[in-house]
Structures are given as C-alpha cells and as structure tokens.
Amino acid sequence: MAFRPLHDRIVVRRIEAEEKTAGGIIIPDTAKEKPSEGEILAIGPGARDENGKLVELDVKVGDRILFGKWSGTEIKLDGEDLLIMKESDVMGVIEQTAELKKAA
C-alpha cells in the first residue's frame, strides 16, 4: 500500500460477517449490516499533546479491532474498500489469545 495516514488516523479493512445465522438461515447481501470489526492496515505516527510531544498510538498494524457503526470515512484505494478513522473511534482490540483459550 502506498498510503500513509497522518497524525492519529488509521486505515482499516472491514472483516465481513458470517453469511449464515446460528440457525443456518442465509442472510442476503441487502439485509446485512456493515461489519464493525476490521483489521488495521496502516497507522499514522501519532497525535501531539499540548506540549507538542508525539503520543504514539495504542494500536498497531495487523490488530483486529471493533469500531462504531458510523465510524470513519469510506475510501477506495487500489480497488479495495477501506476506512480511514481516528484511533479514538476504536472501541477495542480483539485479542487472539482469548480465542485460543476458548478452544482449549
């Protein structure tokens, strides 16, 4: 990717939800909600505090995150639909270790 976000902005690719419900009903594309889960593809260097000091972001490239339903600005980059949002729009990072513990 040849795009570098500025300040505390991040570039996110949505992770598509399952096409079936738990009961096995297939959900058509027109009835699906936009997923609020995504993977971070790029991050900016961070924001500046009141003293001008750079504050690094808490997220990193490759993190799976949850974000608000109306968060970010949709863009198309290299033919792919992506979101640009501020780090403050991120509600949390999905830890992979939690999934591994459930499976064990």
Side-chain angles (χ1 to χ4, degrees):
M1 175 186 309
F3 182 81
R4 182 177 53 93
L6 299 177
H7 309 294
D8 63 341
R9 289 182 175 79
I10 60 175
V11 178
V12 176
R13 176 190 308 127
R14 288 184 193 269
I15 297 174
E16 296 299 323
E18 289 289 323
E19 295 184 9
K20 289 184 183 180
T21 64
I25 299 171
I26 297 175
I27 303 169
D29 288 338
T30 55
K32 286 185 194 173
E33 288 191 22
K34 290 185 178 179
S36 58
E37 184 178 330
E39 177 185 3
I40 297 178
L41 301 179
I43 63 171
R48 301 246 177 222
D49 65 10
E50 299 85 32
N51 300 323
K53 183 180 174 194
L54 187 66
V55 178
E56 292 186 15
L57 302 179
D58 289 331
V59 296
K60 62 185 181 302
V61 173
D63 280 350
R64 288 179 66 126
I65 59 166
L66 291 177
F67 50 88
K69 189 173 186 173
W70 306 108
S71 298
T73 302
E74 294 181 359
I75 64 164
K76 188 168 269 210
L77 190 61
D78 295 333
E80 186 174 14
D81 291 326
L82 303 172
L83 286 170
I84 295 179
M85 65 180 72
K86 288 188 167 244
E87 184 189 32
S88 60
D89 291 336
V90 176
M91 292 187 279
V93 176
I94 299 172
E95 299 288 339
Q96 297 298 329
T97 56
E99 288 180 21
L100 295 175
K101 287 181 184 176
K102 285 183 184 177

